[in-house]
mmCIF file of all heavy atoms in Angstrom:
data_model
loop_
_atom_site.group_PDB
_atom_site.id
_atom_site.type_symbol
_atom_site.label_atom_id
_atom_site.label_comp_id
_atom_site.label_asym_id
_atom_site.label_seq_id
_atom_site.Cartn_x
_atom_site.Cartn_y
_atom_site.Cartn_z
ATOM 1 N N HIS A 12 99.277 201.001 93.775
ATOM 2 C CA HIS A 12 98.145 201.598 94.486
ATOM 3 C C HIS A 12 96.938 201.700 93.554
ATOM 4 O O HIS A 12 97.052 201.649 92.322
ATOM 5 C CB HIS A 12 98.511 202.993 95.021
ATOM 6 C CG HIS A 12 98.959 203.958 93.946
ATOM 7 N ND1 HIS A 12 98.091 204.697 93.203
ATOM 8 C CD2 HIS A 12 100.203 204.263 93.504
ATOM 9 C CE1 HIS A 12 98.761 205.434 92.336
ATOM 10 N NE2 HIS A 12 100.047 205.196 92.499
ATOM 11 N N MET A 60 84.690 192.552 108.575
ATOM 12 C CA MET A 60 85.654 193.383 107.851
ATOM 13 C C MET A 60 85.022 194.191 106.734
ATOM 14 O O MET A 60 85.436 195.293 106.435
ATOM 15 C CB MET A 60 86.747 192.501 107.219
ATOM 16 C CG MET A 60 87.725 191.893 108.180
ATOM 17 S SD MET A 60 88.942 190.908 107.271
ATOM 18 C CE MET A 60 89.634 192.151 106.176
ATOM 19 N N VAL A 83 69.701 196.040 92.391
ATOM 20 C CA VAL A 83 70.203 196.739 91.202
ATOM 21 C C VAL A 83 70.589 195.708 90.151
ATOM 22 O O VAL A 83 70.754 194.519 90.446
ATOM 23 C CB VAL A 83 71.430 197.623 91.529
ATOM 24 C CG1 VAL A 83 71.069 198.717 92.514
ATOM 25 C CG2 VAL A 83 72.564 196.772 92.062
ATOM 26 N N ALA A 102 106.392 197.174 82.111
ATOM 27 C CA ALA A 102 107.515 196.261 82.200
ATOM 28 C C ALA A 102 108.720 196.942 82.847
ATOM 29 O O ALA A 102 108.932 198.141 82.684
ATOM 30 C CB ALA A 102 107.890 195.755 80.805
ATOM 31 N N THR A 103 109.499 196.168 83.572
ATOM 32 C CA THR A 103 110.698 196.658 84.235
ATOM 33 C C THR A 103 111.861 195.705 83.966
ATOM 34 O O THR A 103 111.692 194.633 83.364
ATOM 35 C CB THR A 103 110.482 196.771 85.759
ATOM 36 O OG1 THR A 103 110.241 195.451 86.293
ATOM 37 C CG2 THR A 103 109.282 197.659 86.071
ATOM 38 N N PHE A 135 125.492 163.286 62.010
ATOM 39 C CA PHE A 135 125.594 163.795 60.640
ATOM 40 C C PHE A 135 127.057 163.841 60.198
ATOM 41 O O PHE A 135 127.406 163.436 59.079
ATOM 42 C CB PHE A 135 124.967 165.187 60.580
ATOM 43 C CG PHE A 135 124.953 165.807 59.207
ATOM 44 C CD1 PHE A 135 123.880 165.616 58.351
ATOM 45 C CD2 PHE A 135 126.022 166.571 58.766
ATOM 46 C CE1 PHE A 135 123.871 166.183 57.080
ATOM 47 C CE2 PHE A 135 126.027 167.138 57.506
ATOM 48 C CZ PHE A 135 124.953 166.944 56.659
ATOM 49 N N VAL A 150 123.340 166.266 50.454
ATOM 50 C CA VAL A 150 123.921 166.614 51.747
ATOM 51 C C VAL A 150 123.208 167.823 52.343
ATOM 52 O O VAL A 150 122.914 167.862 53.543
ATOM 53 C CB VAL A 150 125.430 166.897 51.599
ATOM 54 C CG1 VAL A 150 126.012 167.419 52.907
ATOM 55 C CG2 VAL A 150 126.160 165.635 51.165
ATOM 56 N N ALA A 168 106.677 172.591 71.823
ATOM 57 C CA ALA A 168 106.416 172.866 73.237
ATOM 58 C C ALA A 168 105.926 174.300 73.463
ATOM 59 O O ALA A 168 105.496 174.637 74.572
ATOM 60 C CB ALA A 168 107.680 172.623 74.058
ATOM 61 N N MET A 266 106.720 172.799 50.476
ATOM 62 C CA MET A 266 108.023 172.980 49.843
ATOM 63 C C MET A 266 108.451 171.719 49.110
ATOM 64 O O MET A 266 109.003 171.774 48.003
ATOM 65 C CB MET A 266 109.047 173.369 50.912
ATOM 66 C CG MET A 266 110.469 173.576 50.401
ATOM 67 S SD MET A 266 111.436 172.043 50.330
ATOM 68 C CE MET A 266 111.506 171.599 52.063
ATOM 69 N N PHE A 273 113.269 168.873 44.508
ATOM 70 C CA PHE A 273 113.482 167.432 44.595
ATOM 71 C C PHE A 273 113.437 166.777 43.220
ATOM 72 O O PHE A 273 113.913 165.658 43.048
ATOM 73 C CB PHE A 273 112.437 166.790 45.517
ATOM 74 C CG PHE A 273 112.650 167.103 46.968
ATOM 75 C CD1 PHE A 273 112.191 168.283 47.514
ATOM 76 C CD2 PHE A 273 113.339 166.228 47.782
ATOM 77 C CE1 PHE A 273 112.388 168.581 48.851
ATOM 78 C CE2 PHE A 273 113.551 166.511 49.116
ATOM 79 C CZ PHE A 273 113.079 167.697 49.658
ATOM 80 N N PHE A 294 117.704 178.947 46.768
ATOM 81 C CA PHE A 294 118.868 178.325 47.387
ATOM 82 C C PHE A 294 119.479 177.315 46.417
ATOM 83 O O PHE A 294 120.706 177.295 46.207
ATOM 84 C CB PHE A 294 118.446 177.657 48.691
ATOM 85 C CG PHE A 294 119.580 177.095 49.507
ATOM 86 C CD1 PHE A 294 120.912 177.326 49.173
ATOM 87 C CD2 PHE A 294 119.320 176.317 50.635
ATOM 88 C CE1 PHE A 294 121.956 176.809 49.942
ATOM 89 C CE2 PHE A 294 120.355 175.803 51.398
ATOM 90 C CZ PHE A 294 121.671 176.046 51.045
ATOM 91 N N ALA A 310 119.010 185.950 37.700
ATOM 92 C CA ALA A 310 120.409 186.321 37.750
ATOM 93 C C ALA A 310 120.909 186.244 39.188
ATOM 94 O O ALA A 310 120.118 186.316 40.143
ATOM 95 C CB ALA A 310 120.612 187.724 37.176
ATOM 96 N N GLY A 325 106.871 185.390 55.063
ATOM 97 C CA GLY A 325 105.922 184.843 56.029
ATOM 98 C C GLY A 325 105.885 185.662 57.299
ATOM 99 O O GLY A 325 104.811 185.899 57.875
ATOM 100 N N ALA A 330 102.975 189.336 60.635
ATOM 101 C CA ALA A 330 103.049 190.513 61.503
ATOM 102 C C ALA A 330 102.019 191.560 61.088
ATOM 103 O O ALA A 330 101.341 192.157 61.939
ATOM 104 C CB ALA A 330 104.452 191.103 61.463
ATOM 105 N N ARG A 341 90.684 195.488 69.275
ATOM 106 C CA ARG A 341 90.688 196.471 70.361
ATOM 107 C C ARG A 341 89.635 197.545 70.138
ATOM 108 O O ARG A 341 88.941 197.952 71.073
ATOM 109 C CB ARG A 341 92.072 197.104 70.481
ATOM 110 C CG ARG A 341 93.109 196.202 71.144
ATOM 111 C CD ARG A 341 94.416 196.945 71.326
ATOM 112 N NE ARG A 341 95.377 196.161 72.098
ATOM 113 C CZ ARG A 341 96.582 196.594 72.428
ATOM 114 N NH1 ARG A 341 96.982 197.799 72.039
ATOM 115 N NH2 ARG A 341 97.389 195.823 73.118
ATOM 116 N N GLU A 370 81.335 209.733 99.336
ATOM 117 C CA GLU A 370 81.564 210.979 98.609
ATOM 118 C C GLU A 370 83.039 211.385 98.626
ATOM 119 O O GLU A 370 83.590 211.842 97.624
ATOM 120 C CB GLU A 370 80.703 212.087 99.234
ATOM 121 C CG GLU A 370 80.876 213.454 98.585
ATOM 122 C CD GLU A 370 80.463 213.476 97.123
ATOM 123 O OE1 GLU A 370 79.659 212.600 96.721
ATOM 124 O OE2 GLU A 370 80.947 214.346 96.392
ATOM 125 N N ARG A 374 85.550 211.994 95.334
ATOM 126 C CA ARG A 374 86.310 213.209 95.089
ATOM 127 C C ARG A 374 87.790 212.910 94.894
ATOM 128 O O ARG A 374 88.462 213.525 94.056
ATOM 129 C CB ARG A 374 86.139 214.162 96.275
ATOM 130 C CG ARG A 374 84.749 214.796 96.351
ATOM 131 C CD ARG A 374 84.647 215.631 97.616
ATOM 132 N NE ARG A 374 83.317 216.224 97.732
ATOM 133 C CZ ARG A 374 82.900 216.878 98.823
ATOM 134 N NH1 ARG A 374 83.710 216.993 99.878
ATOM 135 N NH2 ARG A 374 81.685 217.392 98.856
ATOM 136 N N SER A 394 76.987 215.042 92.959
ATOM 137 C CA SER A 394 75.722 215.726 93.170
ATOM 138 C C SER A 394 74.796 214.955 94.088
ATOM 139 O O SER A 394 73.733 215.461 94.458
ATOM 140 C CB SER A 394 75.022 215.934 91.810
ATOM 141 O OG SER A 394 74.727 214.684 91.226
ATOM 142 N N ASP A 413 71.698 179.188 98.176
ATOM 143 C CA ASP A 413 70.717 179.996 97.454
ATOM 144 C C ASP A 413 71.206 181.391 97.129
ATOM 145 O O ASP A 413 70.582 182.113 96.386
ATOM 146 C CB ASP A 413 69.428 180.140 98.287
ATOM 147 C CG ASP A 413 68.776 178.767 98.515
ATOM 148 O OD1 ASP A 413 68.875 177.939 97.591
ATOM 149 O OD2 ASP A 413 68.195 178.555 99.584
#
Side-chain angles (χ1 to χ4, degrees):
H12 58 85
M60 288 181 58
V83 297
T103 64
F135 182 90
V150 173
M266 179 274 296
F273 288 83
F294 186 8
R341 284 185 173 182
E370 179 62 23
R374 288 175 181 172
S394 63
D413 297 325

